[in-house]
Amino acid sequence: MAEKTCELMDCGHRACGGCGPAIAAKLILKGTGENAIVVASTGCMEVFSTPYPETAWKVPWIHSLFENASAVASGIESSLRRQGRDEKVVCICGDGATFDIGMICISGAFERGHDFTYICYDNEAYMNTGIQRSGATPYDASTTTSPAGKRSFGNSRPKKDMPQILAAHGAPYVATASIAYPNDLVKKVEKAVNTEGPCYLQVHTPCCTGWGFDGSKTMEIGKMAIESGLWVNFEMENGDISKAKKVKRKPVDDYLKMQKRFAHLFKPAINSEEIAKIQTIADTNAMEYGIDL
Amino acid sequence: MMQIMEGSHAISEIVKLCRPDLISAYPITPQTHIVERLAEIVADGDLDADYLTVDSEFSALSACVGASAAGSRVYSATSSQGLILMSEVCFNASGMRLPIVMSIANRALGAPLSIWNDQQDSISMRDSGWFQLYAEDVQEMADLHILAYRAAEDHDVLLPAFVCFDGFILSHTYEPVDIPTQEETDAFLPPFRPYQRLDANNPISMGMYATPDYYHEFRYEMDQAMIRAGESLKKYGAEFAEYFGRDYSSPVESYRMDDADIAIVALGSICGTIKDAIDEMRESGQKVGLAKIRTFRPFPRDEIISALNGVSEVAVLEKNISFGSAMKGAVGLEIKEALDNKGIPVFSFVAGLGGRDLRKKDIKNIAGLARDGKGDIFYGLREELL
């Protein structure tokens, strides 16, 4: 018998077992509380949580298009303010909607200074359409549009630095988080929604289907991303890095080996040259954010 | 009060009287004068509204979607490329049943780039689920905004609306126009009462996805709502006449049609020229009349049939082209369908694209061509350029 749930993200949605974004949605709503309005982009989360006439959302939720969540949020924020209402406006959108197709709307909304929080659940590719690369896909990840092959090691470009781009818009609070550190994520959501002005939060959400790992390993993968230095949890206040999670770093191999999207770097032979490049990305992160213990 | 005003400014004044909570627009010629004047009105505190200067037309209408969903009356204005950039949001706003009102200063679409008037922009959005009104003069253009809000927000309708008018020809022309008072407008147009809204006290999900088991019926409901929009426009048009003395209750306006042999059908500002040409043709004994289409969506089929009853030829003068269509123009096709089985020949004349001027002599030529059984052509081609 199903237990009665007190989560604002209800049970019964259709996400994969071990879905990182589904965990993120639940945690994000713990941070916003019930006095929030969620604006979604088209994508996995929208599809697994709102097949008409069912919805998993116990807060008001709206989805308009793939690329316009931040513009829709602008209108909602304006309307609420004029009505004297105090709900928090929170976009929850995938990395394709954020890094790529939604950029112009996001830039406009941040430049206008709306009081809202934009949360990107970053699973590092277009998962809903079948694992195509996005501007958030990491270097060398094999996706259906950046496949590893005889002349390719997978995605040829590093991940776009969205937090810096939004910090450059003058956002008062920009942060990254991971579902593998739930309390930290919830606190950052609380902080973002309670900071006046446009805030940005980018949440690492491992995708078992797209990355190729067993659904029971989601949290483990998320932790390993942090421990390898390939994902850094940090906070920026008014453009300056105020905090970054320190770790005793492990080699990137430990993270890469766990996922099929990087399998071509280990089979049929270990590609030391490419792995070294990825290690350099982690080392640069470590230096830039000062995360080494 | 009667005043001489530029068309765009008349719209700004009328929009102010409609008390939108949010104005969100992006500059594009020839829409700019409307939103510039509205910005001044807001800056002077004469209208208590949020004015969003956005990054694109796409964001302009997206912000309207958000504010409307949260329970506010919203307004936008655009033209040509801006409307086409918005098109994805247009289809979305109607599907979400949000009663947004938007002014369309009709302008040609590129390429080649043209800032001048035709109606390709809004006619191309025919199937986007917005009802479409077309104005002949500045007064009608102003009035139709009030009517559009009233009909769009009717809970039996809940569809967004375009108020279309010819760019430059109406937007930049000074005409005498009667601008009602705030009290008069408020009496006709009650405050926005959303059917549902985003509200933490009563959470709902909006804009969900629908599987094949449900989607079909959503589209059917929209079509039914569009049909009801036609009824609503008639009802509120009649009410508008009681309040303001100008009657827009019929989606088709007939001019000297009683004994007409040849009927011209048209939309927008060209109807004024057509009326003058008809007066002159009447003086020389030619029985020509005009059926002016005010509401293009929903298409007023019954009223068209009734207006064109008994004529021997119909000439549809239209500022759009449906490439590859046998009749050339999109409006002509619908008139022909309406008159199917009536034995009345219908001819489409694509004319005045990209701002090409149309004069009384052109109207007379078109009437003559229709009388001779010629049509479904590009009228007025400069053969030396071909």
Side-chain angles (χ1 to χ4, degrees), chain A residues 47 52 54-55 61 63-64 67-68 71 78-79 81-83 85 87, chain B residues 21 48 50 62-63 70 72 88 92 197-198 200 204-209:
Chain A
V47 170
Y52 180 87
E54 296 161 14
T55 182
W61 178 95
H63 157 254
S64 170
E67 65 275 47
N68 69 350
S78 158
S79 172
R81 190 163 25 78
R82 290 189 50 76
Q83 294 177 53
R85 291 163 56 186
E87 289 113 311
Chain B
D21 280 312
D48 179 20
D50 260 16
S62 296
S72 288
E88 191 189 11
N92 187 254
R197 64 174 192 178
L198 297 166
I204 54 167
S205 290
M206 297 177 77
M208 303 158 76
Y209 89 94

PDB file of all heavy atoms in Angstrom, chain A residues 47 52 54-55 61 63-64 67-68 71 78-79 81-83 85 87, chain B residues 21 48 50 62-63 70 72 88 92 197-198 200 204-209:
ATOM      1  N   VAL A  47       8.318  15.889 -18.524  1.00  0.00           N
ATOM      2  CA  VAL A  47       7.620  14.731 -19.077  1.00  0.00           C
ATOM      3  C   VAL A  47       7.360  13.660 -18.017  1.00  0.00           C
ATOM      4  O   VAL A  47       6.273  13.092 -17.955  1.00  0.00           O
ATOM      5  CB  VAL A  47       8.404  14.174 -20.287  1.00  0.00           C
ATOM      6  CG1 VAL A  47       7.833  12.841 -20.731  1.00  0.00           C
ATOM      7  CG2 VAL A  47       8.388  15.169 -21.438  1.00  0.00           C
ATOM      8  N   TYR A  52      -0.613  14.607 -18.444  1.00  0.00           N
ATOM      9  CA  TYR A  52      -2.019  14.944 -18.200  1.00  0.00           C
ATOM     10  C   TYR A  52      -2.848  13.671 -18.118  1.00  0.00           C
ATOM     11  O   TYR A  52      -2.663  12.789 -18.952  1.00  0.00           O
ATOM     12  CB  TYR A  52      -2.525  15.851 -19.338  1.00  0.00           C
ATOM     13  CG  TYR A  52      -3.958  16.243 -19.185  1.00  0.00           C
ATOM     14  CD1 TYR A  52      -4.295  17.370 -18.441  1.00  0.00           C
ATOM     15  CD2 TYR A  52      -4.975  15.472 -19.752  1.00  0.00           C
ATOM     16  CE1 TYR A  52      -5.632  17.728 -18.271  1.00  0.00           C
ATOM     17  CE2 TYR A  52      -6.304  15.824 -19.579  1.00  0.00           C
ATOM     18  CZ  TYR A  52      -6.627  16.940 -18.843  1.00  0.00           C
ATOM     19  OH  TYR A  52      -7.925  17.282 -18.675  1.00  0.00           O
ATOM     20  N   GLU A  54      -2.322  13.741 -14.796  1.00  0.00           N
ATOM     21  CA  GLU A  54      -1.649  13.535 -13.515  1.00  0.00           C
ATOM     22  C   GLU A  54      -0.531  14.550 -13.345  1.00  0.00           C
ATOM     23  O   GLU A  54       0.070  14.991 -14.318  1.00  0.00           O
ATOM     24  CB  GLU A  54      -1.035  12.123 -13.479  1.00  0.00           C
ATOM     25  CG  GLU A  54      -2.064  11.014 -13.545  1.00  0.00           C
ATOM     26  CD  GLU A  54      -1.458   9.696 -13.977  1.00  0.00           C
ATOM     27  OE1 GLU A  54      -0.223   9.579 -13.962  1.00  0.00           O
ATOM     28  OE2 GLU A  54      -2.231   8.795 -14.335  1.00  0.00           O
ATOM     29  N   THR A  55      -0.256  14.899 -12.100  1.00  0.00           N
ATOM     30  CA  THR A  55       0.894  15.757 -11.836  1.00  0.00           C
ATOM     31  C   THR A  55       1.539  15.338 -10.530  1.00  0.00           C
ATOM     32  O   THR A  55       0.845  14.885  -9.610  1.00  0.00           O
ATOM     33  CB  THR A  55       0.496  17.250 -11.786  1.00  0.00           C
ATOM     34  OG1 THR A  55       1.683  18.032 -11.575  1.00  0.00           O
ATOM     35  CG2 THR A  55      -0.497  17.544 -10.672  1.00  0.00           C
ATOM     36  N   TRP A  61       2.640  24.951 -10.748  1.00  0.00           N
ATOM     37  CA  TRP A  61       3.682  24.581 -11.723  1.00  0.00           C
ATOM     38  C   TRP A  61       3.212  24.989 -13.108  1.00  0.00           C
ATOM     39  O   TRP A  61       2.048  24.826 -13.443  1.00  0.00           O
ATOM     40  CB  TRP A  61       3.873  23.063 -11.633  1.00  0.00           C
ATOM     41  CG  TRP A  61       4.867  22.442 -12.566  1.00  0.00           C
ATOM     42  CD1 TRP A  61       6.169  22.153 -12.309  1.00  0.00           C
ATOM     43  CD2 TRP A  61       4.630  21.974 -13.907  1.00  0.00           C
ATOM     44  NE1 TRP A  61       6.757  21.537 -13.395  1.00  0.00           N
ATOM     45  CE2 TRP A  61       5.833  21.425 -14.390  1.00  0.00           C
ATOM     46  CE3 TRP A  61       3.513  21.980 -14.753  1.00  0.00           C
ATOM     47  CZ2 TRP A  61       5.965  20.885 -15.669  1.00  0.00           C
ATOM     48  CZ3 TRP A  61       3.638  21.449 -16.025  1.00  0.00           C
ATOM     49  CH2 TRP A  61       4.858  20.908 -16.471  1.00  0.00           C
ATOM     50  N   HIS A  63       4.513  24.992 -17.330  1.00  0.00           N
ATOM     51  CA  HIS A  63       5.451  24.735 -18.416  1.00  0.00           C
ATOM     52  C   HIS A  63       4.889  25.414 -19.652  1.00  0.00           C
ATOM     53  O   HIS A  63       3.725  25.227 -20.001  1.00  0.00           O
ATOM     54  CB  HIS A  63       5.579  23.226 -18.659  1.00  0.00           C
ATOM     55  CG  HIS A  63       6.065  22.889 -20.036  1.00  0.00           C
ATOM     56  ND1 HIS A  63       5.245  22.385 -21.016  1.00  0.00           N
ATOM     57  CD2 HIS A  63       7.292  23.024 -20.600  1.00  0.00           C
ATOM     58  CE1 HIS A  63       5.958  22.211 -22.120  1.00  0.00           C
ATOM     59  NE2 HIS A  63       7.192  22.589 -21.903  1.00  0.00           N
ATOM     60  N   SER A  64       5.721  26.244 -20.286  1.00  0.00           N
ATOM     61  CA  SER A  64       5.273  26.865 -21.533  1.00  0.00           C
ATOM     62  C   SER A  64       6.026  26.232 -22.703  1.00  0.00           C
ATOM     63  O   SER A  64       5.445  25.466 -23.466  1.00  0.00           O
ATOM     64  CB  SER A  64       5.488  28.375 -21.461  1.00  0.00           C
ATOM     65  OG  SER A  64       5.289  28.985 -22.714  1.00  0.00           O
ATOM     66  N   GLU A  67      12.430  26.899 -24.246  1.00  0.00           N
ATOM     67  CA  GLU A  67      13.471  27.912 -24.080  1.00  0.00           C
ATOM     68  C   GLU A  67      13.029  29.168 -23.346  1.00  0.00           C
ATOM     69  O   GLU A  67      13.799  30.120 -23.244  1.00  0.00           O
ATOM     70  CB  GLU A  67      14.022  28.296 -25.464  1.00  0.00           C
ATOM     71  CG  GLU A  67      13.028  28.987 -26.408  1.00  0.00           C
ATOM     72  CD  GLU A  67      12.148  28.046 -27.209  1.00  0.00           C
ATOM     73  OE1 GLU A  67      11.600  27.107 -26.598  1.00  0.00           O
ATOM     74  OE2 GLU A  67      11.972  28.271 -28.418  1.00  0.00           O
ATOM     75  N   ASN A  68      11.800  29.226 -22.850  1.00  0.00           N
ATOM     76  CA  ASN A  68      11.330  30.519 -22.356  1.00  0.00           C
ATOM     77  C   ASN A  68      11.011  30.575 -20.864  1.00  0.00           C
ATOM     78  O   ASN A  68      10.378  31.519 -20.408  1.00  0.00           O
ATOM     79  CB  ASN A  68      10.098  30.969 -23.162  1.00  0.00           C
ATOM     80  CG  ASN A  68       8.864  30.125 -22.891  1.00  0.00           C
ATOM     81  OD1 ASN A  68       8.953  29.095 -22.241  1.00  0.00           O
ATOM     82  ND2 ASN A  68       7.735  30.564 -23.395  1.00  0.00           N
ATOM     83  N   ALA A  71      11.690  33.863 -19.151  1.00  0.00           N
ATOM     84  CA  ALA A  71      10.813  34.962 -19.586  1.00  0.00           C
ATOM     85  C   ALA A  71       9.418  34.793 -18.987  1.00  0.00           C
ATOM     86  O   ALA A  71       8.791  35.767 -18.553  1.00  0.00           O
ATOM     87  CB  ALA A  71      10.744  35.023 -21.117  1.00  0.00           C
ATOM     88  N   SER A  78       6.442  39.662 -12.037  1.00  0.00           N
ATOM     89  CA  SER A  78       5.839  40.989 -12.162  1.00  0.00           C
ATOM     90  C   SER A  78       4.377  40.962 -11.684  1.00  0.00           C
ATOM     91  O   SER A  78       3.932  41.828 -10.927  1.00  0.00           O
ATOM     92  CB  SER A  78       5.933  41.435 -13.626  1.00  0.00           C
ATOM     93  OG  SER A  78       4.983  42.412 -13.914  1.00  0.00           O
ATOM     94  N   SER A  79       3.661  39.934 -12.134  1.00  0.00           N
ATOM     95  CA  SER A  79       2.244  39.822 -11.771  1.00  0.00           C
ATOM     96  C   SER A  79       2.064  39.662 -10.261  1.00  0.00           C
ATOM     97  O   SER A  79       1.215  40.318  -9.643  1.00  0.00           O
ATOM     98  CB  SER A  79       1.626  38.630 -12.506  1.00  0.00           C
ATOM     99  OG  SER A  79       0.324  38.378 -12.051  1.00  0.00           O
ATOM    100  N   ARG A  81       4.098  40.566  -7.836  1.00  0.00           N
ATOM    101  CA  ARG A  81       4.456  41.801  -7.137  1.00  0.00           C
ATOM    102  C   ARG A  81       3.300  42.802  -7.199  1.00  0.00           C
ATOM    103  O   ARG A  81       2.944  43.436  -6.214  1.00  0.00           O
ATOM    104  CB  ARG A  81       5.724  42.394  -7.761  1.00  0.00           C
ATOM    105  CG  ARG A  81       6.338  43.534  -7.005  1.00  0.00           C
ATOM    106  CD  ARG A  81       7.775  43.817  -7.409  1.00  0.00           C
ATOM    107  NE  ARG A  81       8.140  43.394  -8.755  1.00  0.00           N
ATOM    108  CZ  ARG A  81       7.816  44.048  -9.867  1.00  0.00           C
ATOM    109  NH1 ARG A  81       7.124  45.163  -9.798  1.00  0.00           N
ATOM    110  NH2 ARG A  81       8.187  43.586 -11.049  1.00  0.00           N
ATOM    111  N   ARG A  82       2.679  42.887  -8.366  1.00  0.00           N
ATOM    112  CA  ARG A  82       1.580  43.849  -8.516  1.00  0.00           C
ATOM    113  C   ARG A  82       0.348  43.432  -7.721  1.00  0.00           C
ATOM    114  O   ARG A  82      -0.448  44.272  -7.321  1.00  0.00           O
ATOM    115  CB  ARG A  82       1.236  44.030  -9.987  1.00  0.00           C
ATOM    116  CG  ARG A  82       2.334  44.776 -10.751  1.00  0.00           C
ATOM    117  CD  ARG A  82       1.888  45.146 -12.128  1.00  0.00           C
ATOM    118  NE  ARG A  82       0.598  45.813 -12.131  1.00  0.00           N
ATOM    119  CZ  ARG A  82       0.395  47.065 -11.771  1.00  0.00           C
ATOM    120  NH1 ARG A  82       1.407  47.818 -11.404  1.00  0.00           N
ATOM    121  NH2 ARG A  82      -0.813  47.574 -11.792  1.00  0.00           N
ATOM    122  N   GLN A  83       0.214  42.115  -7.501  1.00  0.00           N
ATOM    123  CA  GLN A  83      -0.925  41.637  -6.702  1.00  0.00           C
ATOM    124  C   GLN A  83      -0.603  41.629  -5.214  1.00  0.00           C
ATOM    125  O   GLN A  83      -1.444  41.223  -4.406  1.00  0.00           O
ATOM    126  CB  GLN A  83      -1.307  40.214  -7.135  1.00  0.00           C
ATOM    127  CG  GLN A  83      -1.848  40.107  -8.558  1.00  0.00           C
ATOM    128  CD  GLN A  83      -2.131  38.653  -8.931  1.00  0.00           C
ATOM    129  OE1 GLN A  83      -2.844  37.942  -8.226  1.00  0.00           O
ATOM    130  NE2 GLN A  83      -1.568  38.203 -10.029  1.00  0.00           N
ATOM    131  N   ARG A  85       1.525  39.640  -3.789  1.00  0.00           N
ATOM    132  CA  ARG A  85       1.712  38.248  -3.347  1.00  0.00           C
ATOM    133  C   ARG A  85       3.203  37.958  -3.164  1.00  0.00           C
ATOM    134  O   ARG A  85       4.041  38.623  -3.758  1.00  0.00           O
ATOM    135  CB  ARG A  85       1.093  37.301  -4.376  1.00  0.00           C
ATOM    136  CG  ARG A  85      -0.428  37.387  -4.412  1.00  0.00           C
ATOM    137  CD  ARG A  85      -1.011  36.782  -5.677  1.00  0.00           C
ATOM    138  NE  ARG A  85      -0.596  35.407  -5.873  1.00  0.00           N
ATOM    139  CZ  ARG A  85      -0.893  34.717  -6.989  1.00  0.00           C
ATOM    140  NH1 ARG A  85      -1.577  35.277  -7.968  1.00  0.00           N
ATOM    141  NH2 ARG A  85      -0.486  33.475  -7.109  1.00  0.00           N
ATOM    142  N   GLU A  87       4.748  34.655  -3.231  1.00  0.00           N
ATOM    143  CA  GLU A  87       5.308  33.350  -3.620  1.00  0.00           C
ATOM    144  C   GLU A  87       6.679  33.540  -4.272  1.00  0.00           C
ATOM    145  O   GLU A  87       6.916  34.514  -4.970  1.00  0.00           O
ATOM    146  CB  GLU A  87       4.380  32.656  -4.627  1.00  0.00           C
ATOM    147  CG  GLU A  87       3.081  32.147  -4.025  1.00  0.00           C
ATOM    148  CD  GLU A  87       1.862  32.900  -4.538  1.00  0.00           C
ATOM    149  OE1 GLU A  87       1.916  34.159  -4.521  1.00  0.00           O
ATOM    150  OE2 GLU A  87       0.888  32.254  -4.961  1.00  0.00           O
TER     151      GLU A  87
ATOM    152  N   ASP B  21      -1.930  45.100 -16.440  1.00  0.00           N
ATOM    153  CA  ASP B  21      -0.947  45.042 -15.350  1.00  0.00           C
ATOM    154  C   ASP B  21       0.467  45.018 -15.912  1.00  0.00           C
ATOM    155  O   ASP B  21       1.400  45.469 -15.274  1.00  0.00           O
ATOM    156  CB  ASP B  21      -1.125  43.751 -14.536  1.00  0.00           C
ATOM    157  CG  ASP B  21      -2.259  43.866 -13.557  1.00  0.00           C
ATOM    158  OD1 ASP B  21      -2.307  44.878 -12.850  1.00  0.00           O
ATOM    159  OD2 ASP B  21      -3.097  42.949 -13.511  1.00  0.00           O
ATOM    160  N   ASP B  48      -0.721  52.652 -13.986  1.00  0.00           N
ATOM    161  CA  ASP B  48       0.001  51.863 -12.996  1.00  0.00           C
ATOM    162  C   ASP B  48       0.175  50.459 -13.561  1.00  0.00           C
ATOM    163  O   ASP B  48      -0.698  49.610 -13.431  1.00  0.00           O
ATOM    164  CB  ASP B  48      -0.820  51.839 -11.693  1.00  0.00           C
ATOM    165  CG  ASP B  48      -0.126  51.014 -10.620  1.00  0.00           C
ATOM    166  OD1 ASP B  48       1.100  50.803 -10.738  1.00  0.00           O
ATOM    167  OD2 ASP B  48      -0.817  50.584  -9.686  1.00  0.00           O
ATOM    168  N   ASP B  50       3.419  47.400 -14.971  1.00  0.00           N
ATOM    169  CA  ASP B  50       4.819  47.038 -15.183  1.00  0.00           C
ATOM    170  C   ASP B  50       5.086  47.112 -16.680  1.00  0.00           C
ATOM    171  O   ASP B  50       4.282  46.633 -17.482  1.00  0.00           O
ATOM    172  CB  ASP B  50       5.068  45.604 -14.701  1.00  0.00           C
ATOM    173  CG  ASP B  50       5.718  45.575 -13.331  1.00  0.00           C
ATOM    174  OD1 ASP B  50       5.689  46.627 -12.654  1.00  0.00           O
ATOM    175  OD2 ASP B  50       6.227  44.519 -12.938  1.00  0.00           O
ATOM    176  N   SER B  62       6.407  35.638 -24.077  1.00  0.00           N
ATOM    177  CA  SER B  62       6.585  34.645 -23.005  1.00  0.00           C
ATOM    178  C   SER B  62       6.298  35.268 -21.636  1.00  0.00           C
ATOM    179  O   SER B  62       5.682  34.642 -20.767  1.00  0.00           O
ATOM    180  CB  SER B  62       8.007  34.082 -23.020  1.00  0.00           C
ATOM    181  OG  SER B  62       8.254  33.368 -24.213  1.00  0.00           O
ATOM    182  N   ALA B  63       6.737  36.509 -21.447  1.00  0.00           N
ATOM    183  CA  ALA B  63       6.450  37.201 -20.181  1.00  0.00           C
ATOM    184  C   ALA B  63       4.944  37.415 -20.037  1.00  0.00           C
ATOM    185  O   ALA B  63       4.389  37.302 -18.941  1.00  0.00           O
ATOM    186  CB  ALA B  63       7.200  38.525 -20.121  1.00  0.00           C
ATOM    187  N   ALA B  70      -0.503  33.982 -14.094  1.00  0.00           N
ATOM    188  CA  ALA B  70      -0.502  34.335 -12.670  1.00  0.00           C
ATOM    189  C   ALA B  70      -1.699  35.220 -12.316  1.00  0.00           C
ATOM    190  O   ALA B  70      -1.892  35.555 -11.147  1.00  0.00           O
ATOM    191  CB  ALA B  70       0.805  35.031 -12.307  1.00  0.00           C
ATOM    192  N   SER B  72      -2.865  38.212 -14.315  1.00  0.00           N
ATOM    193  CA  SER B  72      -2.850  39.628 -14.713  1.00  0.00           C
ATOM    194  C   SER B  72      -3.370  39.826 -16.140  1.00  0.00           C
ATOM    195  O   SER B  72      -3.211  38.948 -16.990  1.00  0.00           O
ATOM    196  CB  SER B  72      -1.420  40.173 -14.658  1.00  0.00           C
ATOM    197  OG  SER B  72      -1.011  40.328 -13.325  1.00  0.00           O
ATOM    198  N   GLU B  88       6.050  30.514 -31.949  1.00  0.00           N
ATOM    199  CA  GLU B  88       5.991  29.354 -31.057  1.00  0.00           C
ATOM    200  C   GLU B  88       5.211  29.698 -29.783  1.00  0.00           C
ATOM    201  O   GLU B  88       4.432  28.894 -29.276  1.00  0.00           O
ATOM    202  CB  GLU B  88       7.408  28.883 -30.703  1.00  0.00           C
ATOM    203  CG  GLU B  88       7.394  27.528 -30.011  1.00  0.00           C
ATOM    204  CD  GLU B  88       8.746  27.120 -29.439  1.00  0.00           C
ATOM    205  OE1 GLU B  88       9.656  27.959 -29.381  1.00  0.00           O
ATOM    206  OE2 GLU B  88       8.867  25.962 -29.022  1.00  0.00           O
ATOM    207  N   ASN B  92       1.452  28.456 -28.171  1.00  0.00           N
ATOM    208  CA  ASN B  92       1.450  28.017 -26.788  1.00  0.00           C
ATOM    209  C   ASN B  92       0.417  28.790 -25.966  1.00  0.00           C
ATOM    210  O   ASN B  92      -0.331  28.216 -25.169  1.00  0.00           O
ATOM    211  CB  ASN B  92       2.856  28.208 -26.221  1.00  0.00           C
ATOM    212  CG  ASN B  92       3.004  27.626 -24.848  1.00  0.00           C
ATOM    213  OD1 ASN B  92       3.052  28.361 -23.880  1.00  0.00           O
ATOM    214  ND2 ASN B  92       3.060  26.320 -24.747  1.00  0.00           N
ATOM    215  N   ARG B 197      -5.559  30.443 -11.982  1.00  0.00           N
ATOM    216  CA  ARG B 197      -4.273  31.113 -11.972  1.00  0.00           C
ATOM    217  C   ARG B 197      -3.290  30.338 -11.104  1.00  0.00           C
ATOM    218  O   ARG B 197      -3.694  29.527 -10.266  1.00  0.00           O
ATOM    219  CB  ARG B 197      -4.407  32.553 -11.459  1.00  0.00           C
ATOM    220  CG  ARG B 197      -4.866  32.617 -10.023  1.00  0.00           C
ATOM    221  CD  ARG B 197      -4.859  34.033  -9.469  1.00  0.00           C
ATOM    222  NE  ARG B 197      -5.033  33.971  -8.026  1.00  0.00           N
ATOM    223  CZ  ARG B 197      -5.032  35.016  -7.216  1.00  0.00           C
ATOM    224  NH1 ARG B 197      -4.873  36.233  -7.713  1.00  0.00           N
ATOM    225  NH2 ARG B 197      -5.176  34.872  -5.925  1.00  0.00           N
ATOM    226  N   LEU B 198      -2.021  30.613 -11.333  1.00  0.00           N
ATOM    227  CA  LEU B 198      -0.987  30.037 -10.487  1.00  0.00           C
ATOM    228  C   LEU B 198      -1.119  30.645  -9.101  1.00  0.00           C
ATOM    229  O   LEU B 198      -1.111  31.872  -8.963  1.00  0.00           O
ATOM    230  CB  LEU B 198       0.397  30.353 -11.062  1.00  0.00           C
ATOM    231  CG  LEU B 198       0.695  29.767 -12.437  1.00  0.00           C
ATOM    232  CD1 LEU B 198       1.927  30.436 -13.031  1.00  0.00           C
ATOM    233  CD2 LEU B 198       0.884  28.255 -12.360  1.00  0.00           C
ATOM    234  N   ALA B 200      -0.202  29.614  -4.838  1.00  0.00           N
ATOM    235  CA  ALA B 200       0.308  28.632  -3.867  1.00  0.00           C
ATOM    236  C   ALA B 200      -0.795  28.111  -2.952  1.00  0.00           C
ATOM    237  O   ALA B 200      -0.685  27.015  -2.398  1.00  0.00           O
ATOM    238  CB  ALA B 200       1.436  29.246  -3.038  1.00  0.00           C
ATOM    239  N   ILE B 204      -2.064  24.338  -8.978  1.00  0.00           N
ATOM    240  CA  ILE B 204      -2.461  23.592 -10.177  1.00  0.00           C
ATOM    241  C   ILE B 204      -1.225  23.480 -11.074  1.00  0.00           C
ATOM    242  O   ILE B 204      -0.277  24.250 -10.930  1.00  0.00           O
ATOM    243  CB  ILE B 204      -3.590  24.293 -10.971  1.00  0.00           C
ATOM    244  CG1 ILE B 204      -3.207  25.744 -11.297  1.00  0.00           C
ATOM    245  CG2 ILE B 204      -4.902  24.244 -10.213  1.00  0.00           C
ATOM    246  CD1 ILE B 204      -4.103  26.400 -12.333  1.00  0.00           C
ATOM    247  N   SER B 205      -1.259  22.532 -11.982  1.00  0.00           N
ATOM    248  CA  SER B 205      -0.207  22.412 -12.986  1.00  0.00           C
ATOM    249  C   SER B 205      -0.760  22.904 -14.315  1.00  0.00           C
ATOM    250  O   SER B 205      -1.844  22.495 -14.729  1.00  0.00           O
ATOM    251  CB  SER B 205       0.252  20.955 -13.121  1.00  0.00           C
ATOM    252  OG  SER B 205       0.966  20.563 -11.969  1.00  0.00           O
ATOM    253  N   MET B 206      -0.021  23.782 -14.961  1.00  0.00           N
ATOM    254  CA  MET B 206      -0.453  24.342 -16.248  1.00  0.00           C
ATOM    255  C   MET B 206       0.566  23.996 -17.335  1.00  0.00           C
ATOM    256  O   MET B 206       1.765  24.053 -17.082  1.00  0.00           O
ATOM    257  CB  MET B 206      -0.579  25.866 -16.154  1.00  0.00           C
ATOM    258  CG  MET B 206      -1.636  26.333 -15.174  1.00  0.00           C
ATOM    259  SD  MET B 206      -1.686  28.147 -15.021  1.00  0.00           S
ATOM    260  CE  MET B 206      -2.552  28.591 -16.521  1.00  0.00           C
ATOM    261  N   GLY B 207       0.072  23.694 -18.511  1.00  0.00           N
ATOM    262  CA  GLY B 207       0.975  23.429 -19.626  1.00  0.00           C
ATOM    263  C   GLY B 207       1.605  22.047 -19.561  1.00  0.00           C
ATOM    264  O   GLY B 207       2.762  21.867 -19.912  1.00  0.00           O
ATOM    265  N   MET B 208       0.823  21.088 -19.102  1.00  0.00           N
ATOM    266  CA  MET B 208       1.322  19.716 -19.013  1.00  0.00           C
ATOM    267  C   MET B 208       1.385  19.108 -20.411  1.00  0.00           C
ATOM    268  O   MET B 208       0.889  19.685 -21.364  1.00  0.00           O
ATOM    269  CB  MET B 208       0.358  18.907 -18.140  1.00  0.00           C
ATOM    270  CG  MET B 208       0.184  19.524 -16.770  1.00  0.00           C
ATOM    271  SD  MET B 208      -1.336  19.023 -15.977  1.00  0.00           S
ATOM    272  CE  MET B 208      -0.890  17.370 -15.472  1.00  0.00           C
ATOM    273  N   TYR B 209       1.957  17.923 -20.498  1.00  0.00           N
ATOM    274  CA  TYR B 209       1.952  17.283 -21.816  1.00  0.00           C
ATOM    275  C   TYR B 209       0.814  16.283 -21.884  1.00  0.00           C
ATOM    276  O   TYR B 209       0.383  15.750 -20.870  1.00  0.00           O
ATOM    277  CB  TYR B 209       3.310  16.674 -22.154  1.00  0.00           C
ATOM    278  CG  TYR B 209       3.520  15.253 -21.709  1.00  0.00           C
ATOM    279  CD1 TYR B 209       3.263  14.204 -22.577  1.00  0.00           C
ATOM    280  CD2 TYR B 209       3.999  14.977 -20.439  1.00  0.00           C
ATOM    281  CE1 TYR B 209       3.458  12.889 -22.178  1.00  0.00           C
ATOM    282  CE2 TYR B 209       4.203  13.681 -20.036  1.00  0.00           C
ATOM    283  CZ  TYR B 209       3.921  12.630 -20.900  1.00  0.00           C
ATOM    284  OH  TYR B 209       4.118  11.345 -20.508  1.00  0.00           O
TER     285      TYR B 209
END
